[in-house]
């Protein structure tokens, strides 16, 4: 199957990105044609610092590689290195009703958060995302829960294009994990863990053991002491159980049994140990890549030239279909 997905080089890549998305990519890479993108043009739709953007892009690339994504088997590249993404986004803008964009949940949330800086790019963000996906005739888009609506819109744009200009695009579908599609904030477990929130809400993949211990120890838990999964009544412990289950590959039922009669504190200590062990490769490899940034530049340049070939083929079809 053809797979495409991406992460924005903004903020710090966190446990939610890793558990809900990068882990899916790792499962998919051996049997599929996968493209993993660093979507820098999406990251600039909210205020950002141009001085550190390149460093952020390299950091995301280092995370992809450290997690175990193969740059030979998969195409790994930066969105802005393939200009066809903007060309297709413009063309798709002409068949996308403004109303569809205004009703997107993420647009509503982000425009409320950056109330003084709502640019047209923020509204058109899902059209650029549709272009990312459709350029590569993608069948499956592995993402977290919050991106499902955008993938559905991309499918609708593809369907509309095909109906108007003839069969051109494959209709994509989102792939979302059954558990862990939405990892919650450590301090407010009814809100999703987010890059743009305060550090104590979120575990970063490069966090030190001390930071991990402190953040998990102070994570919000619920009244009572029972280690039971119940997202409505016990959102805090349910989120921590989900994280444990994804890292340890044990079912939530098994974990509930294992921790019967134990208190939150013991469970949190065990979870912190598990996190420290699982994130160790990220901390170690980061400095390796920092010492030799040329490795990453080479991988991204190679990825961009492979991506560009596919993108150019699609654009020829699109221009022909649209009479351009
Ligand atoms: P972003 O961090 O916005 O670039 O998102 C990259 C990917 O991570 C997308 O597929 C999101 O759906 C996913 N994602 C972001 N935050 C979370 C979260 N808290 N839980 C699960 N998935 C998430
Ligand atoms: N909008 C996505 C996010 O914030 C990132 C993204 C951009 C993406 N283009 C994509 C994800 C294409 C999947 C496919 O998470």
């Amino acid at each position: 199957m053809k797979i495409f997905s991406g992460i924005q080089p903004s903020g710090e890549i966190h446990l939610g990105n890793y558990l809900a998305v990068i882990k899916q990519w790792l499962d998919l890479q051996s049997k599929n044609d996968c493209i993993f993108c660093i979507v820098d043009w999406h990251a600039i739709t909210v205020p950002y610092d141009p001085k550190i953007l390149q460093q952020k892009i390299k950091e995301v690339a280092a995370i992809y590689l450290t997690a175990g994504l193969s740059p030979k088997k998969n195409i790994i590249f930066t969105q802005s290195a393939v200009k066809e993404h903007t060309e297709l986004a413009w063309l798709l803008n002409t068949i996308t009703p403004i109303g569809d964009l205004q009703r997107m949940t993420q647009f509503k949330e982000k425009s409320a958060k950056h109330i003084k800086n709502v640019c047209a790019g923020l509204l058109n963000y899902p059209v650029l995302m549709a272009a990312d996906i459709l350029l590569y005739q993608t069948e499956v888009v592995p993402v977290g829960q919050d991106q499902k609506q955008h993938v559905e819109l991309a499918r609708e744009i593809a369907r509309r294009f095909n109906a108007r200009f003839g069969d051109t695009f494959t209709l994509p579908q989102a792939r979302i994990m059954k558990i862990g599609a939405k990892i919650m904030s450590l301090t407010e477990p009814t809100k999703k863990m987010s890059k743009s929130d305060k550090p104590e809400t979120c575990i970063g993949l490069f966090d030190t053991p001390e930071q991990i211990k402190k953040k998990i120890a102070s994570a919000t838990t619920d009244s009572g002491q029972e280690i039971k999964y119940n997202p409505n009544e016990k959102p805090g412990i349910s989120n921590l159980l989900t994280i444990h289950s994804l890292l340890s590959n044990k079912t939530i039922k098994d974990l509930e049994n294992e921790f019967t009669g134990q208190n939150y504190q013991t469970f949190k200590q065990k979870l912190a140990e598990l996190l420290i062990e699982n994130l160790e490769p990220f901390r170690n490899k980061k400095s390796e890549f920092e010492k030799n940034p040329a490795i990453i530049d080479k991988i991204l340049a190679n990825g961009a030239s492979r991506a560009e070939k596919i993108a150019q083929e699609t654009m020829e079809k699109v221009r022909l279909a649209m009479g351009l």
Side-chain angles (χ1 to χ4, degrees), residues 6-8 14 16-17 20-21 143-144 146-147 180-183 192-193 195:
I7 296 182
Q8 302 181 58
H14 60 66
N17 302 129
V21 182
V143 282
D146 65 331
Q147 295 301 313
K182 192 170 179 188
I183 300 293
K192 83 164 186 168
M193 186 179 279
K195 289 172 179 173

Side-chain angles (χ1 to χ4, degrees), residues 51-70:
K51 290 201 257 344
I52 59 166
L53 184 61
Q54 290 309 312
Q55 176 198 326
K56 288 274 160 206
I57 291 172
K58 293 223 172 89
E59 214 170 272
V60 177
I63 285 174
Y64 287 5
L65 299 170
T66 308
L69 296 172
S70 156

Side-chain angles (χ1 to χ4, degrees), residues 63 71 95 171 297 303:
I63 285 174
I95 59 157
L171 302 189
D297 290 340

Side-chain angles (χ1 to χ4, degrees), residues 4-6 8 39 42 106 125 129 132-133 141 143 147 150:
F4 184 100
S5 192
Q8 302 181 58
V39 286
H42 280 103
Q106 195 181 73
Y125 173 119
M129 180 161 161
D132 298 341
I133 296 168
V141 188
V143 282
Q147 295 301 313
H150 289 159

Side-chain angles (χ1 to χ4, degrees), residues 182-242:
K182 192 170 179 188
I183 300 293
M184 301 305 206
S185 152
L186 295 178
T187 53
E188 280 180 81
T190 50
K191 274 178 56 186
K192 83 164 186 168
M193 186 179 279
S194 165
K195 289 172 179 173
S196 50
D197 287 342
K198 295 200 191 82
E200 64 270 23
T201 64
C202 147
I203 302 273
L205 298 189
F206 299 128
D207 278 359
T208 62
E210 291 66 39
Q211 286 170 317
I212 294 173
K213 279 188 204 151
K214 202 165 154 216
K215 287 181 186 178
I216 295 294
S218 51
T220 303
T221 35
D222 321 282
S223 56
Q225 273 296 343
E226 241 193 327
I227 318 288
K228 273 264 170 244
Y229 184 81
N230 183 341
N232 292 328
E233 281 169 29
K234 291 165 90 66
I237 198 70
S238 301
N239 188 39
L240 299 183
L241 272 166
T242 302

Side-chain angles (χ1 to χ4, degrees), residues 86-103:
T86 37
E87 183 182 358
L88 184 58
W90 175 254
L91 301 179
L92 298 180
N93 264 319
T94 65
I95 59 157
T96 306
I98 298 177
D100 283 8
L101 300 174
Q102 283 164 332
R103 71 175 172 78

